[in-house]
Amino acid sequence: MKKLSVLLLCVAIASSTYAQKKSPIRFGVKGGANLSRGAIDSDYDFDRLKNKFGVGFHVGGLMEVSGPAGSKLKGQVEALYNMHNFKNEYNDILGNVSGKTTLHQISVPVMLKYFITPRFSINAGPSVNFNIAGKTKSEITNGAFTVKDEVNLKDDDMLQTIQVGALAGVTYYIHKGFFVDARYNYYFGSAFKDDDFAKMRVSAIQLGVGYKF
């Protein structure tokens, strides 16, 4: 009886371990750098307009869902905190304008992953992005005079709350669950509500590292 109990226990443990290994759902964490750009899109012809990249970061979690056995397709949903930084410079009637914007965002990408090899996949899909806070610091220089200003985009109701986006990129698994990835994100519409004069088109390149459990 004891031997039978031990045998049943061993079978149960082995079955549980096997089921866990074959589970179609896996979770993970990731983080990395954002190289972001906010491009001013306006009918007005800004003199010497420069839309410059800025460095930010992202961090969050993911859930990967495998297809049928032998399939090269997998799905992945992420929940990420993004901080985007970007700069804009131009000349207008007030003088030389230099602005730096920081945008805080919660992003939910939904991707389809195609594995070219067991370690390398190409990824693409849509995203829903919630702009939760933002600030723009600007300097206007005219001759010897410089005027500084800071605008809280959330408090002044200038921030677009939700933006739909699209992304495409690649993932490479280094060893077991450890991976690196790179992707390009584009956010449709303007990040600012008051876009009659000028729209702010935000995009970002993300470079990340992570671990899938």
Side-chain angles (χ1 to χ4, degrees), residues 79-100:
L80 302 175
Y81 165 73
N82 277 316
M83 186 181 77
H84 298 291
N85 288 312
F86 50 85
K87 301 176 182 179
N88 305 98
E89 296 178 357
Y90 56 88
N91 295 340
D92 65 11
I93 57 174
L94 298 176
N96 301 322
V97 181
S98 176
K100 178 182 178 182

Side-chain angles (χ1 to χ4, degrees), residues 35-55:
L35 191 61
S36 309
R37 181 174 182 262
I40 295 177
D41 180 8
S42 175
D43 294 333
Y44 180 80
D45 187 17
F46 287 102
D47 186 29
R48 298 182 181 179
L49 174 61
K50 295 179 181 179
N51 300 311
K52 296 185 176 181
F53 285 93
V55 178

Side-chain angles (χ1 to χ4, degrees), residues 12 25 54 70 76 119 193:
I25 299 177
Q76 184 163 302
R119 289 191 175 191
K193 284 184 178 179

Side-chain angles (χ1 to χ4, degrees), residues 3 26 29 37 45 52 54-57 60 95 101 106 119 135 141-142 150 153 160 178 191 198 212:
K3 290 183 179 180
R26 296 179 68 179
V29 292
R37 181 174 182 262
D45 187 17
K52 296 185 176 181
V55 178
F57 69 92
T101 299
I106 300 296
R119 289 191 175 191
K135 286 186 179 181
T141 304
N142 193 331
E150 181 175 312
L153 301 172
Q160 197 68 260
F178 288 100
K212 188 173 65 176

Side-chain angles (χ1 to χ4, degrees), residues 14-26 66-67 69-70:
S15 300
S16 177
T17 303
Y18 179 82
Q20 288 178 4
K21 287 184 178 179
K22 294 296 182 178
S23 173
I25 299 177
R26 296 179 68 179
S66 299

